[in-house]
Amino acid sequence: MAATSNSLLSLTPSQSLNRPTTLFHSPTSVSLSPRSRLLLSKSNLVASSSSPNGADNPSAQDIPIEKRFPAFPTVMDINVIREILPHRFPFLLVDRVIEYNPGVSAVAIKNVTINDNFFPGHFPERPIMPGVLMVEAMAQVGGLVMLQPEVGGSRENFFFAGIDKVRFRKPVIAGDTLVMRMTLVKLQKRFGIAKMEGKAYVGGEVVCEGEFLMATGSD
């Protein structure tokens, strides 16, 4: 093992990234999936850029990684969300509102964790958030816009009236933070119907998008 470790340390970063990625070069080594190799490669690049040899940015070296990324702001916490939306466990899929423009749009997050109740069945060997639940989460963010006084809402129930042009771009897995933006495009107050556009992101990349037709009502 000592000889193996020394040979690995002697590789340049580019050579080490081009090698097949395994955990411990031994008879019991575990091969990583392509996604895991990509994530590990990125983490290696970050580590090498902040190493003592790369002293181009000394200020970044002094900041621990857990302090480099600010938290999402809180415009509405879960208690306020629960006062507006009628949903409850296990179907309340919005954790925090991070931006709200009255009568126009809302941006909210859903922290996707392995403890979410849908993962044991979707799928046991590869936990992926169901696409229909991403759409449901986005619709709930739309409800936070619709059920506000600025658009004539009065804490009534709201329903899907239609959904169109939905596309799923990338899988969402446990550990991701789903960031959802819902924008009001057209509102017919007389009939309580609104057309909204929605996009959901993970790490700044679109994972889901579509057009939503929603209606308010007490029945």
Side-chain angles (χ1 to χ4, degrees), residues 5 18 23 25 27 29 42 47 55-56 66 71 74 84 88 94 101 106 109 126 144 149-150 152 170 194 196 207 209:
S5 299
N18 290 329
L23 294 180
H25 292 272
S29 62
K42 290 181 177 179
D56 296 334
E66 64 270 20
T74 301
I84 299 172
R88 292 297 182 266
V94 181
N101 296 316
I109 63 173
R126 189 185 179 192
L144 292 170
E150 294 85 358
K170 291 187 175 182
M196 308 191 79
V207 295
E209 59 186 327

Side-chain angles (χ1 to χ4, degrees), residues 6-167:
N6 290 335
S7 63
L8 287 177
L9 291 174
S10 65
L11 294 175
T12 64
S14 60
Q15 289 174 319
S16 63
L17 293 181
N18 290 329
R19 291 173 61 91
T21 307
T22 56
L23 294 180
F24 305 109
H25 292 272
S26 68
T28 58
S29 62
V30 180
S31 297
L32 299 179
S33 66
R35 177 184 176 90
S36 298
R37 289 200 297 270
L38 177 60
L39 292 175
L40 183 59
S41 298
K42 290 181 177 179
S43 66
N44 286 341
L45 289 175
V46 172
S48 63
S49 66
S50 60
S51 64
N53 293 330
D56 296 334
N57 191 359
S59 59
Q61 297 175 23
D62 298 333
I63 304 175
I65 190 169
E66 64 270 20
K67 296 183 179 180
R68 293 179 196 168
F69 306 100
F72 285 107
T74 301
V75 176
M76 298 182 193
D77 64 16
I78 190 61
N79 296 309
V80 176
I81 292 170
R82 284 167 55 88
E83 290 177 1
I84 299 172
L85 294 179
H87 306 76
R88 292 297 182 266
F89 177 84
F91 248 80
L92 180 55
L93 301 175
V94 181
D95 293 322
R96 182 190 303 181
V97 175
I98 62 176
E99 180 183 278
Y100 177 66
N101 296 316
V104 178
S105 65
V107 183
I109 63 173
K110 155 65 178 166
N111 293 307
V112 184
T113 80
I114 196 62
N115 289 319
D116 281 314
N117 70 319
F118 47 79
F119 278 137
H122 196 280
F123 300 100
E125 301 303 323
R126 189 185 179 192
I128 298 176
M129 184 176 185
V132 291
L133 292 186
M134 281 191 268
V135 171
E136 170 64 24
M138 294 166 69
Q140 292 181 18
V141 180
L144 292 170
V145 177
M146 285 195 64
L147 298 179
Q148 297 294 327
E150 294 85 358
V151 291
S154 58
R155 301 297 193 273
E156 296 177 327
N157 292 326
F158 72 101
F159 308 93
F160 268 128
I163 187 169
D164 197 15
K165 299 180 181 178
V166 173
R167 296 291 184 272

